[in-house]
Amino acid sequence: MIMSRATLPLLLSLALCAKAAYQPLITYSGTTFFDGFDFYGDIDNTTWGNVTYVDAAIANSESLAYVNGAGNAIIKVDNSSQVLDVGIQYRKSIRLTSKAQFDVGTLFVIDALHMPYGCSVWPSIWLNGVLQPGQVWPQAGEIDLIEAINLMDHNQMALHSYEGCVQPANVTQLGHTLIHNCNDTTASGCTVAETKPGSFGKTFADNKGGAFALQFDVAGVFMWFWPRANIPTSITQAKPTSEMNLTDWGTPSAAYPASGCNVTEFFPAQQLVIDISLCGLWAGIPDIYSEDCPGTCFSTNIAGNGSNYGAAYFEIPAIRTYTVNPGAIASVSASGGGSPLTTGSASGSVSADGPGASQTDLDQGSATRVGGRGSGWMGMGMGMGMIGVWALVGAVGGGVL
């Protein structure tokens, strides 16, 4: 199919017709937020930070993962234990992995009031591909929605894959591309730096946080960030059973259209991961650490009584997931709970002022694979290698949908 300006109105019309394609799937919120996740229970053996990711029992007994009085999930670094400045030592922290596996055709919306920051701190919220026997990372891919270190003032987004996956040049996005090649030869992946102010650090916290979203679609992978005051109405007014309408979302911060990276080839089912590491292979690299922070990463920060980690925590009112595949909703319903499924009873909605109204409390049920391939708001095959609408608009000099 040859692309022309005459084609664009038709494509936009088709996109708008699909605006209500995303149906509620799983909401993680309230008193049973953590029921939808497994605790890692091991040292950081992936990015080699100086942390031990504790199990659920320790996380609960030491209040490292809990739901506060406002109904928001708190996920934090231990800030009270003494760690010796000798040999290889670890401070306790949290890594959560969703029990559910999410297929292509899933939408994620994350409301965060606070994210961890400070020297040595390395938080992230990301999707990790489910490896099959004989596979090694990143053969099942990785998608980073939230990731930054130390005293950075902006978020970074990335895809990690293998040869054949790239971000095309001149995509329509608000962020600044740092690396186009997603083949993880440098462990950086194809990286986009957020350009909207207040996406990380103290400024994010002072502004009561904001919302992040990730569209995992046959058309590509697209990511957004909005400060609290600018969260779209479609999100702030969403109800537990509402379809998600993306037409007021604006241009994404990061766009990875399928024209450069075939999502269905490089990214099978993914699990949602939330973690906080310290130092390690990014935050702790001496030349990188010294750009913002004094002393040395371990001795100056991790060693000692931990009182410097008072800001090293997530406060999350809700994480909502949606799907274009009705079969995924049926699968979740069959696993126990309902359709759509929620893991919590409080602070269910994202609002411009913070946590919103409560939701019906439903059990998480057993682990399940959810989501499904689909043609979300931006996704149309159209015989064009599944190029997303954002890529199409950019190709002909169009504006924001």
Side-chain angles (χ1 to χ4, degrees):
M1 178 176 178
I2 299 174
M3 182 64 187
S4 69
R5 287 187 180 274
T7 311
L8 181 60
L10 173 61
L11 294 175
L12 297 183
S13 176
L14 289 171
L16 292 174
C17 288
K19 66 182 181 180
Y22 280 100
Q23 306 293 323
L25 188 59
I26 299 175
T27 294
Y28 302 93
S29 69
T31 56
T32 55
F33 177 98
F34 295 100
D35 290 359
F37 294 93
D38 292 318
F39 287 76
Y40 198 64
D42 203 347
I43 63 169
D44 177 3
N45 53 14
T46 56
T47 58
W48 301 108
N50 291 91
V51 296
T52 296
Y53 294 125
V54 300
D55 59 24
I58 295 175
N60 181 63
S61 65
E62 299 191 16
S63 296
L64 299 182
Y66 64 94
V67 176
N68 67 12
N72 303 329
I74 302 296
I75 301 160
K76 60 179 288 189
V77 171
D78 164 31
N79 64 344
S80 60
S81 297
Q82 187 73 30
V83 173
L84 300 178
D85 188 9
V86 58
I88 300 175
Q89 303 288 335
Y90 302 95
R91 183 167 291 279
K92 286 173 282 191
S93 187
I94 299 294
R95 174 170 167 167
L96 304 173
T97 303
S98 68
K99 295 178 180 179
Q101 301 175 14
F102 298 94
D103 284 321
V104 174
T106 307
L107 183 71
F108 301 82
V109 179
I110 299 173
D111 177 20
L113 288 166
H114 191 281
M115 293 196 298
Y117 67 90
C119 290
S120 79
V121 179
W122 181 358
S124 52
I125 298 181
W126 48 294
L127 299 181
N128 193 28
V130 180
L131 294 170
Q132 300 303 312
Q135 288 187 321
V136 296
W137 182 88
Q139 284 181 287
E142 175 183 324
I143 304 172
D144 300 327
L145 174 59
I146 299 172
E147 187 171 28
I149 57 168
N150 298 330
L151 301 182
M152 284 176 59
D153 61 0
H154 64 277
N155 181 44
Q156 286 192 179
M157 300 144 284
L159 301 188
H160 298 261
S161 188
Y162 52 97
E163 188 174 0
C165 178
V166 300
Q167 185 194 48
N170 301 318
V171 295
T172 301
Q173 63 179 27
L174 298 178
H176 172 64
T177 297
L178 303 177
I179 300 174
H180 283 278
N181 191 353
C182 309
N183 185 21
D184 206 73
T185 56
T186 66
S188 297
C190 43
T191 308
V192 175
E194 179 64 69
T195 55
K196 288 184 180 180
S199 62
F200 187 72
K202 187 176 186 300
T203 303
F204 179 87
D206 290 345
N207 292 338
K208 299 182 180 180
F212 299 83
L214 188 158
Q215 185 185 31
F216 178 41
D217 194 83
V218 294
V221 175
F222 306 88
M223 308 185 209
W224 288 261
F225 163 69
W226 305 276
R228 179 69 54 189
N230 301 119
I231 299 174
T233 302
S234 61
I235 296 177
T236 61
Q237 295 185 359
K239 301 295 189 291
T241 57
S242 299
E243 296 175 340
M244 182 51 66
N245 180 345
L246 280 63
T247 55
D248 63 346
W249 283 22
T251 305
S253 293
Y256 300 94
S259 57
C261 184
N262 187 331
V263 176
T264 57
E265 175 186 354
F266 291 98
F267 294 89
Q270 306 278 310
Q271 290 175 287
L272 179 65
V273 182
I274 306 171
D275 69 62
I276 314 171
S277 191
L278 302 175
C279 295
L281 297 178
W282 187 17
I285 299 297
D287 288 347
I288 296 174
Y289 171 83
S290 62
E291 291 177 1
D292 295 319
C293 298
T296 61
C297 194
F298 176 83
S299 296
T300 307
N301 300 282
I302 298 173
N305 61 19
S307 59
N308 52 305
Y309 288 115
Y313 68 93
F314 284 103
E315 182 173 2
I316 301 175
I319 298 176
R320 295 185 176 202
T321 68
Y322 300 81
T323 183
V324 296
N325 182 8
I329 297 174
S331 174
V332 168
S333 179
S335 73
S339 177
L341 181 67
T342 176
T343 67
S345 60
S347 62
S349 64
V350 182
S351 76
D353 298 317
S358 63
Q359 301 178 9
T360 303
D361 188 6
L362 299 173
D363 292 334
Q364 165 67 21
S366 59
T368 182
R369 177 168 170 165
V370 297
R373 295 180 181 180
S375 56
W377 183 55
M378 303 175 193
M380 295 173 288
M382 301 291 290
M384 301 167 59
M386 296 178 290
I387 300 175
V389 170
W390 284 115
L392 297 174
V393 173
V396 298
V400 178
L401 294 180

